[in-house]
C-alpha cells in the first residue's frame, strides 16, 4: 500500500513537470574502462611460483601511457637480479612545485592459489551474484586498479592537481620469495617516492553480514611487525629403551607451554585509544564498557580479561606470540637429539624484535632451550604516524557524504602491509580504502577470494573524492 501511494505521489509530481527539460544524463565516470583495467591486472598472474610482477607493472604503465602520460612520468623498476619482481612508479605533476606530493601505494603480487582447490579458475575474473571472484580480486589488486584508474580518470578530465600525485605499485608484500619492492624503493629510490604522506591498504569498512549493513569505516594508523623465533633443545640422545629425564622434546614442550601461558602487558597508543573510545559507542554493553575502562586504565585486569576473549581486540592490545611449527626427534626408537619450535610474534609498534626475544628467554627460563630470531625481510614496528586533522578530516568528510552515520574509526593493523618500509624512512602511511568487507574479510589469502561489486565501485568513488581533496589542500 505504501509503495502504491508513493508511486502515485511520484506520478503526480512527474505529471506536473511533464513539459520540463529532460534530466541531465549522469556523467560517464569511465567505469567500463576501469573494469577492463581491473580485469587485466587481476588476470595477470603475479604469484611467486609462476607469476610476473614486472609484466603486470608494464601493463599498467601501458594503460597510463595510452591515457597520455609521458615516458618520463612512468618508471618500471626491477630490483637488481630479480627481473620478475618489478613494479611501477607513476607521477602526476602538480601545479605547486613547493607542495609535497601524496603517495598512493598498493602491491600487485598475490598469494599462491591452486586451481584444483578453487570453485573457479583463480586467475580468471568472474562476476557472479554481486561479487568479483579471483585471486587478488581484493588483496591488493582492487586498490592497485583503483589508483591506476584514478590517474587515467584525472587525465581524461583534464584535471591538474595542486600537489603532485604518485602511484607506486610494488611486488613482494606477500612474501614467498619476491624481493620486497616497497622496501627497495624506500631504501634505494627515496627521491622517486618521497611524499608528505601515503595512502595504502590495511583498513576498510565492515559489513554486519554478506552484503549487509555498514557498521564502521576504519582507517589504519600504524601496524604491528611480524618476527619469528626459533626455540631449540638439543641432547646427546640414545636408545629409546633407556629413557632419561633429560629429553629434548620434553624440554621444548615445557618451553612452549610457558610461552602459551604468558600474556604480554597491555600497550596503548593514540590509534588504539581512539579505536576503543569510538568503538565503545558502536558495540555498547559490557564490551563497550570494558573498552572505555581499558582506555582510562590500561592496567585494568577485568577489562583486559573481557576484551582479550575476542581475538581481534586481544591482537591490538599487546604484543602476541604463538607457536606455529614444531619438529623433533630423528627416529621412532631413539631418544631425540633435537627438537625445535617456531614462535611467530606480532610486535606492538615501538617495541623491538630484540626486546621481545629477551622476554621470551625469560619466559622460557631454561638455558638448555635456545631462543634465536628467524631471519626475515622485516623492520621493527615504528610508532604509529599521527592522525592529524589534515589527514583524518578529509576521510571523515568524504565517508560521511557517502555513508551518513557510519563512524570512522582509527585502527592498529595486527597483520602486515608495506607501510612500515616507508614509515621507517620518514614517510607516514595510512591505510584507507572505502572498500567494505563481509565478516569473512573477502576470504583474503584463502579459497575463492572475492569482493562485492558495489563495494569495489564505491571504493573507487571514495578514493577519487578523497585524493582530490588531499591534492588541493593547503599545507
Amino acid at each position: 500500500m505504501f509503495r502504491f501511494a508513493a508511486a502515485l505521489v511520484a506520478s503526480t509530481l512527474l505529471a506536473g513537470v511533464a513539459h520540463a527539460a529532460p534530466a541531465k544524463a549522469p556523467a560517464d565516470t569511465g567505469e567500463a574502462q576501469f573494469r577492463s583495467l581491473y580485469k587485466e591486472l587481476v588476470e595477470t598472474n603475479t604469484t611467486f611460483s609462476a607469476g610476473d610482477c614486472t609484466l603486470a607493472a608494464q601493463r599498467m604503465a601501458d594503460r597510463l601511457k595510452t591515457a597520455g602520460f609521458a615516458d618520463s612520468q612512468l618508471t618500471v623498476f626491477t630490483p637488481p637480479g630479480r627481473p620478475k619482481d618489478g613494479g611501477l612508479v607513476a607521477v602526476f605533476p602538480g601545479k605547486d612545485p613547493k607542495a609535497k606530493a601524496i603517495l598512493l601505494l598498493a602491491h600487485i603480487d598475490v598469494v599462491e592459489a591452486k586451481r584444483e582447490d578453487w570453485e573457479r579458475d583463480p586467475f580468471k575474473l568472474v562476476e557472479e551474484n554481486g561479487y568479483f571472484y579471483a585471486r587478488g580480486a581484493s588483496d591488493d589488486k582492487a586498490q592497485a586498479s583503483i589508483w591506476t584508474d584514478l590517474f587515467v580518470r584525472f587525465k581524461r578530465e583534464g584535471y591538474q592537481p595542486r600537489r603532485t600525485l604518485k602511484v607506486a605499485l610494488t611486488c613482494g608484500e606477500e612474501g614467498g620469495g619476491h624481493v620486497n619492492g616497497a622496501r627497495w624503493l624506500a631504501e634505494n629510490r627515496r627521491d622517486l617516492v618521497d611524499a608528505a604522506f601515503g595512502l595504502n591498504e590495511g583498513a576498510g569498512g565492515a559489513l554486519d553480514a554478506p552484503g549487509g549493513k555498514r557498521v564502521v569505516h576504519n582507517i589504519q594508523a600504524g601496524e604491528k611487525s611480524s618476527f619469528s623465533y626459533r626455540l631449540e633443545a638439543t641432547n646427546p640422545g640414545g636408545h629409546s629403551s633407556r629413557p632419561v629425564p633429560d629429553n629434548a622434546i620434553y624440554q621444548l614442550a615445557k618451553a612452549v607451554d610457558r610461552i602459551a601461558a604468558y600474556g604480554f602487558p597491555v600497550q596503548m597508543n593514540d590509534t588504539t585509544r581512539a579505536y576503543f573510545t569510538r568503538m565503545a559507542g558502536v558495540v555498547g554493553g559490557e564490551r563497550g564498557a570494558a573498552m572505555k575502562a581499558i582506555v582510562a586504565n590500561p592496567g585494568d585486569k577485568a577489562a583486559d580479561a573481557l576484551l582479550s576473549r575476542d581475538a581481534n581486540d586481544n591482537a591490538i592490545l599487546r604484543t602476541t606470540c604463538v607457536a606455529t611449527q614444531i619438529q623433533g626427534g630423528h627416529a621412532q626408537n631413539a631418544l631425540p637429539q633435537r627438537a625445535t619450535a617456531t614462535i611467530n610474534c606480532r610486535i606492538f609498534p615501538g617495541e623491538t624484535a630484540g626486546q621481545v626475544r629477551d622476554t621470551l628467554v625469560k619466559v622460557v627460563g631454561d638455558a638448555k632451550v635456545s631462543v634465536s630470531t628467524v631471519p626475515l625481510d622485516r623492520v621493527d614496528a615504528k610508532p604509529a604516524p599521527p592522525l592529524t586533522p589534515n589527514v583524518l578530516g578529509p576521510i571523515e568528510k568524504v565517508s560521511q557524504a557517502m555513508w551518513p552515520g557510519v563512524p570512522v574509526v582509527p585502527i592498529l593493523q595486527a597483520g602486515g602491509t608495506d607501510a612500515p618500509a616507508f614509515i621507517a624512512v620518514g614517510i607516514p602511511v595510512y591505510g584507507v580504502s572505502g572498500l567494505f568487507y563481509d565478516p569473512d574479510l573477502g576470504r583474503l589469502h584463502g579459497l575463492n577470494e572475492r569482493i562485492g561489486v558495489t563495494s569495489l565501485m564505491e571504493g573507487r568513488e571514495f578514493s577519487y573524492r578523497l585524493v582530490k581533496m588531499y591534492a588541493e589542500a593547503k599545507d
Side-chain angles (χ1 to χ4, degrees):
M1 182 67 179
F2 174 79
R3 276 179 282 182
F4 174 78
L8 181 62
V9 171
S11 64
T12 302
L13 291 173
L14 287 171
V17 294
H19 300 291
K24 184 178 179 181
D28 178 11
T29 66
E31 182 178 319
Q33 292 92 330
F34 169 67
R35 283 172 171 263
S36 173
L37 183 154
Y38 175 61
K39 176 180 173 66
E40 181 177 37
L41 184 57
V42 168
E43 293 188 350
T44 303
N45 189 328
T46 52
T47 60
F48 177 71
S49 65
D52 190 334
C53 287
T54 306
L55 176 60
Q58 186 60 59
R59 285 176 171 173
M60 294 302 98
D62 291 343
R63 290 267 181 175
L64 292 173
K65 189 172 182 178
T66 299
F69 283 82
D71 288 340
S72 60
Q73 296 167 335
L74 305 171
T75 302
V76 176
F77 65 92
T78 54
R82 303 302 292 265
K84 291 187 177 182
D85 294 357
L88 168 68
V89 177
V91 178
F92 199 130
K95 293 182 290 186
D96 185 350
K98 295 182 180 179
K100 293 204 72 173
I102 299 168
L103 178 65
L104 310 176
L105 176 65
H107 69 85
I108 54 177
D109 62 310
V110 296
V111 299
E112 302 291 337
K114 295 181 178 180
R115 175 65 187 93
E116 60 268 27
D117 295 337
W118 282 54
E119 294 177 19
R120 309 159 191 83
D121 186 336
F123 298 103
K124 293 293 182 184
L125 184 68
V126 175
E127 182 176 350
E128 186 177 297
N129 298 325
Y131 289 92
F132 286 120
Y133 290 87
R135 173 59 84 221
S138 176
D139 187 13
D140 185 29
K141 289 181 177 179
Q143 194 65 65
S145 298
I146 286 171
W147 292 147
T148 308
D149 168 76
L150 188 68
F151 273 24
V152 173
R153 192 172 174 183
F154 284 168
K155 182 68 75 170
R156 186 175 62 247
E157 291 177 351
Y159 173 61
Q160 291 183 294
R162 173 177 172 263
R163 294 177 178 271
T164 292
L165 304 174
K166 299 178 179 181
V167 165
L169 306 182
T170 63
C171 191
E173 193 271 350
E174 300 291 8
H178 288 296
V179 171
N180 186 280
R183 187 171 179 183
W184 187 87
L185 281 173
E187 294 177 352
N188 296 279
R189 291 301 309 271
R190 167 69 183 271
D191 59 309
L192 197 58
V193 294
D194 195 32
F197 63 90
L199 303 181
N200 185 33
E201 62 164 343
L207 303 171
D208 63 355
K213 178 183 176 182
R214 297 177 186 86
V215 178
V216 66
H217 188 196
N218 292 127
I219 171 174
Q220 177 199 350
E223 64 184 60
K224 299 170 89 175
S225 61
S226 174
F227 279 87
S228 289
Y229 301 86
R230 177 185 173 94
L231 306 188
E232 184 174 61
T234 57
N235 193 280
H239 202 285
S240 62
S241 65
R242 301 176 62 198
V244 294
D246 190 16
N247 183 297
I249 289 178
Y250 295 163
Q251 290 169 336
L252 181 72
K254 291 175 183 177
V256 171
D257 191 52
R258 292 187 189 110
I259 291 174
Y262 179 75
F264 282 79
V266 170
Q267 298 189 62
M268 302 289 284
N269 60 17
D270 290 345
T271 302
T272 54
R273 288 189 195 95
Y275 172 79
F276 285 115
T277 298
R278 296 192 183 194
M279 285 302 293
V282 175
V283 302
E286 186 180 31
R287 184 174 168 222
M291 289 179 172
K292 292 180 181 178
I294 206 76
V295 171
N297 176 19
D300 189 320
K301 295 188 181 301
D304 179 15
L306 190 150
L307 293 174
S308 295
R309 295 176 199 162
D310 183 280
N312 293 320
D313 288 344
N314 182 63
I316 62 173
L317 279 171
R318 52 172 49 84
T319 292
T320 59
C321 292
V322 61
T324 56
Q325 293 177 308
I326 192 164
Q327 289 182 313
H330 59 283
Q332 64 176 349
N333 58 352
L335 300 178
Q337 296 172 357
R338 187 182 308 275
T340 64
T342 300
I343 307 296
N344 180 254
C345 298
R346 303 294 172 133
I347 302 175
F348 200 89
E351 194 170 13
T352 68
Q355 289 171 327
V356 172
R357 180 192 170 278
D358 291 344
T359 298
L360 293 178
V361 169
K362 292 178 182 177
V363 171
V364 168
D366 185 347
K368 294 181 179 180
V369 179
S370 65
V371 182
S372 59
T373 304
V374 176
L376 284 174
D377 189 23
R378 300 285 188 183
V379 295
D380 282 326
K382 303 298 180 183
L387 276 172
T388 64
N390 288 344
V391 172
L392 187 57
I395 294 171
E396 292 179 321
K397 186 172 183 178
V398 177
S399 186
Q400 289 306 307
M402 293 187 66
W403 308 293
V406 177
V408 174
V409 178
I411 191 169
L412 175 71
Q413 178 57 256
T417 74
D418 277 329
F422 293 94
I423 295 173
V425 298
I427 302 174
V429 174
Y430 305 90
V432 61
S433 66
L435 300 171
F436 279 75
Y437 293 94
D438 297 335
D440 65 4
L441 296 180
R443 306 169 182 173
L444 305 184
H445 291 198
L447 297 177
N448 308 309
E449 181 180 344
R450 68 183 188 178
I451 189 170
V453 176
T454 297
S455 176
L456 181 64
M457 298 309 165
E458 287 187 348
R460 175 179 180 249
E461 180 63 21
F462 172 83
S463 292
Y464 172 82
R465 297 187 195 183
L466 180 66
V467 172
K468 267 197 171 181
M469 190 171 292
Y470 284 138
E472 300 305 320
K474 301 294 184 181
D475 293 328

